Amino acid sequence: MAIYYYLYDMAPGEIPEIYKGTSADPAVFLTAAEQTLGKEYSTIKNFLFFLGVPFEWLVYFFILVFGVSKKFEEWSKQTVRFSVGQTAIYLFYLSLLTFLLAFPLQYISYHFSRVYRISAQTFPQWMKNELIDFWVSYVLMFVLVFVLYALIKRFKKKWWLAAWALFVPFTVFMMYVQPVLIDPLYNDFYPLKNKQLETKILNLADKANIPADHVYEVNKSKETNALNAYVTGIGGNARIVLWDTTLKKLNEEEVLFVMAHEMAHYVKKHIYIGIGSYLAFAFFGFWLAAKWMERWVRKYGKQLHIKELSQLRTLPLFLLVISMMAFASSPFSNAISRFEEKQADAYAIEMTRDKEAAISAFQKLAREGLSEVKPPALVKIFRYGHPAMAERIYMMETYPLEVKEGKRKEERSGASAQKSRD
């Protein structure tokens, strides 16, 4: 109720005075109807997010308290004798139950994305992706859970450290194989069809000393009307990917700016910084999870029918603790991400030297995705890994390119004079 009141009544609807009349002012590049639709859609999505997070916690909590997890473990032991089979069966029951309980909120989110014409998916297409998500998550979770509980049995006190030590190579491995094994399950990826544009993008990559042979295009128009591009993977499997919607709705100069932005993530090692930050958070996460779970089992183990931490029935407790810590740490991870995005924006405008293309690209991204140009503070803190669109557009408009060009001329003149004296 508090979140509803905050989003619908308390959150300011006015943009800061500094943006008014500039290219960052929604009134400049959006119609009144587009502004209204963007505000409505963003508020609904934000409310569903803040509703969904505590709902997930309650699901795990009630599965523990009402003995559902205990019953799942008993059924798995009655079915097979081997621990690997018991883990697979228990996890299937738990995954299916949580999937079904979360399905209404997932469907509501899909419904509104269709109503506001962000999603282009039919219900069967959307359901297909939901089922792919379920099975991909199930397989990955099975590997993680089986290893985790084997470590808890083997290392009574330091299992969290052993789990983190194995989590490091697993994370790196997943980042490496995701572009070639997981992403293609959802969409078709292929080298950019427009070879003239690809040549220009690869010239940018060469200018940035990026060893790239291809830019990849992905068929997203069958799913969404929004625009996007991203960098994924590491090492030899790193890819720069453009949605086909981006290619259709942005002109060549705008696409080149977007590509320069994505190249900045590679040049500035943001992917590796992100992995390092994620693993650092995971270290403290595993440690805190171990401490809290041990305390819960000591204090409430009898009521929850839990004798020791190594029992599979404690998994909802582990997932509950991890989910709560992930939410609590999201303001920090989002702040790091927003800083990196600002760096990438600055790098892109320095590389392309095209303010007009940068501004129009961001305006189109906001229009097509019904983005909230200036989100409420709590939404930005907990949800935004990118700066708000108004901030990005205003930064492009006020970025001191001319000043920097002047400085470069002075530096070149100074260097030439010094060379002549030498």
Side-chain angles (χ1 to χ4, degrees):
M1 290 175 66
I3 288 294
Y4 183 91
Y5 178 68
Y6 173 77
L7 292 175
Y8 283 91
D9 292 314
M10 286 182 61
E14 291 286 322
I15 65 166
E17 195 67 33
I18 192 173
Y19 295 147
K20 290 185 177 179
T22 70
S23 55
D25 187 347
V28 171
F29 63 94
L30 297 175
T31 65
E34 287 171 335
Q35 292 180 61
T36 300
L37 288 174
K39 178 64 176 175
E40 290 176 356
Y41 179 67
S42 297
T43 304
I44 291 169
K45 296 290 283 188
N46 293 334
F47 180 66
L48 289 175
F49 169 80
F50 285 109
L51 189 66
V53 170
F55 178 77
E56 179 187 4
W57 301 342
L58 286 173
V59 166
Y60 291 139
F61 180 75
F62 286 128
I63 287 174
L64 271 174
V65 169
F66 291 119
V68 178
S69 184
K70 170 177 171 285
K71 184 61 66 176
F72 286 167
E73 185 181 15
E74 290 173 351
W75 288 348
S76 68
K77 288 183 176 180
Q78 292 168 4
T79 306
V80 293
R81 294 174 54 190
F82 303 107
S83 60
V84 63
Q86 291 170 3
T87 303
I89 293 171
Y90 170 87
L91 187 60
F92 176 76
Y93 288 142
L94 182 65
S95 299
L96 183 61
L97 178 61
T98 53
F99 174 82
L100 293 175
L101 291 174
F103 186 81
L105 280 178
Q106 293 292 103
Y107 178 76
I108 291 170
S109 179
Y110 160 73
H111 168 74
F112 280 109
S113 67
R114 284 281 293 177
V115 168
Y116 285 88
R117 297 186 179 180
I118 297 299
S119 174
Q121 286 181 306
T122 63
F123 178 78
Q125 290 172 330
W126 175 77
M127 197 67 218
K128 176 186 174 183
N129 277 357
E130 289 293 301
L131 292 175
I132 292 174
D133 276 341
F134 174 85
W135 287 111
V136 169
S137 298
Y138 173 76
V139 171
L140 295 177
M141 279 292 291
F142 168 72
V143 174
L144 291 171
V145 170
F146 180 73
V147 173
L148 175 67
Y149 278 83
L151 293 173
I152 293 175
K153 291 175 184 176
R154 177 70 177 82
F155 306 99
K156 299 292 184 182
K157 293 295 182 182
K158 296 293 184 182
W159 63 265
W160 63 271
L161 186 58
W164 180 81
L166 290 179
F167 187 68
V168 172
F170 178 81
T171 300
V172 174
F173 173 74
M174 288 305 301
M175 287 291 294
Y176 185 78
V177 302
Q178 180 180 333
V180 294
L181 293 181
I182 296 178
D183 290 347
L185 294 174
Y186 298 88
N187 298 104
D188 298 321
F189 291 79
Y190 36 82
L192 190 61
K193 295 175 183 177
N194 186 336
K195 295 305 176 184
Q196 185 178 359
L197 177 59
E198 184 179 44
T199 299
K200 292 183 179 181
I201 293 172
L202 292 177
N203 286 339
L204 278 181
D206 183 63
K207 184 179 175 182
N209 296 317
I210 298 174
D213 296 322
H214 295 290
V215 176
Y216 287 88
E217 181 180 343
V218 57
N219 180 15
K220 293 291 287 187
S221 55
K222 63 182 181 181
E223 295 181 13
T224 181
N225 294 312
L227 315 181
N228 197 17
Y230 60 90
V231 178
T232 186
I234 58 175
N237 281 358
R239 288 182 175 181
I240 299 175
V241 180
L242 271 165
W243 287 9
D244 62 339
T245 52
T246 304
L247 292 166
K248 292 173 183 175
K249 296 178 181 179
L250 298 188
N251 63 40
E252 189 173 278
E253 290 74 21
E254 292 163 349
V255 170
L256 289 175
F257 171 80
V258 170
M259 284 291 91
H261 171 97
E262 297 307 328
M263 289 174 190
H265 291 304
Y266 181 94
V267 172
K268 295 186 175 294
K269 312 296 184 188
H270 289 164
I271 295 174
Y272 298 98
I273 293 171
I275 293 174
S277 303
Y278 178 65
L279 293 176
F281 277 122
F283 178 85
F284 291 104
F286 275 116
W287 176 72
L288 282 173
K291 297 300 180 185
W292 287 347
M293 288 176 69
E294 288 166 3
R295 183 176 298 177
W296 272 52
V297 170
R298 281 197 308 268
K299 194 170 183 179
Y300 303 108
K302 189 174 182 180
Q303 294 95 314
L304 298 174
H305 304 284
I306 297 173
K307 294 181 180 179
E308 54 186 18
L309 204 58
S310 60
Q311 290 178 289
L312 272 174
R313 65 188 65 179
T314 63
L315 181 58
L317 176 58
F318 178 77
L319 296 175
L320 170 62
V321 171
I322 291 297
S323 178
M324 293 178 74
M325 287 192 298
F327 180 75
S329 66
S330 61
F332 303 101
S333 57
N334 285 339
I336 293 171
S337 177
R338 288 195 299 270
F339 175 76
E340 291 177 341
E341 293 298 333
K342 285 182 180 179
Q343 282 189 321
D345 286 346
Y347 181 93
I349 194 64
E350 285 285 347
M351 175 177 274
T352 61
R353 321 295 292 179
D354 192 342
K355 282 190 175 186
E356 184 179 340
I359 291 169
S360 59
F362 283 139
Q363 289 176 339
K364 289 180 182 179
L365 284 166
R367 182 185 301 111
E368 298 297 333
L370 292 182
S371 300
E372 199 163 15
V373 178
K374 187 65 178 174
L378 279 181
V379 173
K380 179 180 176 181
I381 290 170
F382 284 100
R383 295 207 67 194
Y384 274 53
H386 289 69
M389 201 59 80
E391 295 175 33
R392 302 180 82 178
I393 296 173
Y394 188 73
M395 174 184 169
M396 292 298 99
E397 182 173 296
T398 58
Y399 195 85
L401 270 179
E402 294 77 15
V403 173
K404 289 183 177 289
E405 287 171 355
K407 285 184 178 179
R408 285 197 182 93
K409 289 176 182 177
E410 289 175 10
E411 289 170 0
R412 286 196 294 268
S413 299
S416 299
Q418 182 64 42
K419 188 174 180 181
S420 297
R421 287 194 294 271
D422 293 342

